[in-house]
Amino acid sequence: LLVDAGDRVSGNAFIDDGDSPYLPMIELMNAIGYDVVTLGNHEFDKGAAILGEMVAMADFDTVCANVVSRDGSIEFEEYVIKEVAGAKIGFVGVVDTDEQGHPLGDDTVYADFIFTDDVDTAYAMCDKIADECDYVVLLSHMGDNIDESFIARSPRCHWVAGGHTHEVRNDKIDDVQLTQSGKSMARVMVADLEICDGEVVSTSFSHVAVDDYV
């Protein structure tokens, strides 16, 4: 499975300022074969209409449990469950909410959305799906410092795959794996799950430098 924790659609003029902002990146992700993503704050930069186009165009699931569009025109899934080798792997997604009650950035780009607290929502949704999953993954765009606060609450979550703060993390904290892969696609995190009779019996996590494959 190929997943992403947000802020994947900005950073170069072809993507940011082209005739169809961001959409070439979605075309590329479709071609590569992404499975599940959550939203970062930069997915909102061009406003609700463009974000709606991105979600509609994607051949993969967009999960973000702590945001809804005010008019209901864009639907985000709270979670998805993928079955792999007989094991059910659940993915919850959340985007950061700062002291203003929305992700980092200009208030105006968030006017068409309603947000709930990132940590509270992540905790509640992981708890909601834990009984029907063999392994729970939080795709977090909260930042690794907030991820640590989330883990301190002892969530029913096995892996926090994070973004937003551009750190390089691969730590086990209170039986929860916390990872983050920096920025600019310099590296990716590879999670190997060994599954036996539908049960995840062991895991390993390692960063892989993208330059090694270019």
Side-chain angles (χ1 to χ4, degrees):
L1 299 175
L2 185 58
V3 304
D4 187 273
D7 281 3
R8 62 198 154 265
V9 294
S10 61
N12 67 73
F14 178 71
I15 297 299
D16 296 343
D17 301 321
D19 293 336
S20 301
Y22 300 174
L23 299 187
M25 181 60 73
I26 305 303
E27 292 176 343
L28 175 62
M29 294 172 71
N30 286 342
I32 292 172
Y34 272 77
D35 294 285
V36 189
V37 305
T38 195
L39 301 175
N41 50 292
H42 285 297
E43 269 72 44
F44 295 87
D45 284 352
K46 298 295 186 182
I50 295 297
L51 178 53
E53 288 183 41
M54 288 195 291
V55 172
M57 181 180 175
D59 293 337
F60 44 85
D61 295 301
T62 302
V63 295
C64 200
N66 67 325
V67 58
V68 295
S69 64
R70 291 185 183 275
D71 63 4
S73 61
I74 311 173
E75 294 186 6
F76 307 108
E77 299 172 87
E78 294 179 325
Y79 65 90
V80 295
I81 298 175
K82 302 287 188 179
E83 187 166 334
V84 180
K88 293 182 178 179
I89 303 175
F91 293 90
V92 174
V94 291
V95 64
D96 63 295
T97 53
D98 63 15
E99 65 276 2
Q100 295 175 308
H102 61 62
L104 181 68
D106 185 349
D107 291 351
T108 59
V109 302
Y110 303 113
D112 294 317
F113 302 95
I114 300 170
F115 297 88
T116 56
D117 182 80
D118 47 10
V119 174
D120 288 347
T121 304
Y123 186 90
M125 293 306 304
C126 288
D127 186 69
K128 177 179 178 178
I129 70 171
D131 286 337
E132 57 181 311
C133 296
D134 300 292
Y135 196 83
V136 177
V137 181
L138 175 66
L139 299 179
S140 165
H141 201 80
M142 299 188 293
D144 65 312
N145 54 332
I146 307 301
D147 292 337
E148 290 186 6
S149 299
F150 166 74
I151 292 171
R153 293 176 59 171
S154 300
R156 300 176 73 187
C157 176
H158 300 91
W159 175 24
V160 178
H164 190 46
T165 42
H166 305 163
E167 299 295 331
V168 178
R169 298 288 301 267
N170 186 15
D171 305 308
K172 194 72 170 287
I173 305 174
D174 296 333
D175 294 325
V176 179
Q177 194 75 29
L178 170 59
T179 71
Q180 194 173 142
S181 299
K183 63 180 294 187
S184 302
M185 286 299 293
R187 62 189 63 79
V188 296
M189 170 56 63
V190 176
D192 287 313
L193 277 60
E194 182 181 358
I195 299 171
C196 183
D197 294 330
E199 180 182 355
V200 178
V201 296
S202 69
T203 60
S204 64
F205 297 81
S206 59
H207 283 111
V208 175
V210 174
D211 280 350
D212 292 346
Y213 295 89
V214 175

